[in-house]
Amino acid sequence: KTVAVTVSSTNAETYLNLQNFKTELKTFQTGDSYKDVLEKSKSNAIEHNLSICHIDLKDVNEEKLGKRVDKVCKEMYQHTSCNGLFMVILAGKKAVNAAAGVTIVKPKFER
């Protein structure tokens, strides 16, 4: 089983103290923008059993935040392989808590 993590550059330092965790990863990448992190995460979702997408959305306008979160989850779901697992971690800010969600993509059976 393989695990990949893609994290916004602004949150990468969070993982510095997790060396044991990082050594077990197949891939650890950072991205400078929301789009960069999402693109790398989608590639990882295809190639690995578990893909963790840790995105910093602190600079996103609160009116657009819900749409942005929906877009991230929808695109990760569409790129996750059958029986794959993805986790989206959204960095918080002082006034807003962080959030995380996990989804397993199961095969669809036709009846």
Side-chain angles (χ1 to χ4, degrees):
K1 305 288 179 191
T2 60
V3 179
V5 173
T6 308
V7 60
S8 297
S9 299
T10 55
N11 292 320
E13 68 182 50
T14 304
Y15 293 87
L16 291 177
N17 296 329
L18 303 173
Q19 287 303 320
N20 290 339
F21 173 73
K22 282 177 60 177
T23 57
E24 296 297 321
L25 297 174
K26 190 74 168 177
T27 304
F28 182 83
Q29 299 173 313
T30 61
D32 293 326
S33 69
Y34 147 80
K35 288 183 180 181
D36 189 29
V37 173
L38 182 57
E39 287 304 314
K40 289 178 180 180
S41 294
K42 291 187 312 187
S43 293
N44 287 335
I46 293 168
E47 298 175 21
H48 301 284
N49 302 99
L50 169 61
S51 179
I52 300 172
C53 176
H54 187 163
I55 296 184
D56 182 354
L57 296 176
K58 292 177 188 172
D59 297 330
V60 175
N61 181 327
E62 288 191 30
E63 294 170 1
K64 295 182 180 180
L65 187 60
K67 289 181 182 179
R68 185 71 54 96
V69 171
D70 287 344
K71 180 180 179 181
V72 169
C73 294
K74 182 179 179 180
E75 290 196 31
M76 287 297 294
Y77 184 85
Q78 291 173 343
H79 286 82
T80 299
S81 59
C82 185
N83 289 324
L85 175 69
F86 73 88
M87 176 185 291
V88 175
I89 301 172
L90 305 169
K93 49 187 172 183
K94 289 184 180 182
V96 180
N97 290 334
V102 179
T103 298
I104 299 172
V105 177
K106 288 293 194 183
K108 294 179 182 172
F109 297 104
E110 297 203 22
R111 295 177 188 219

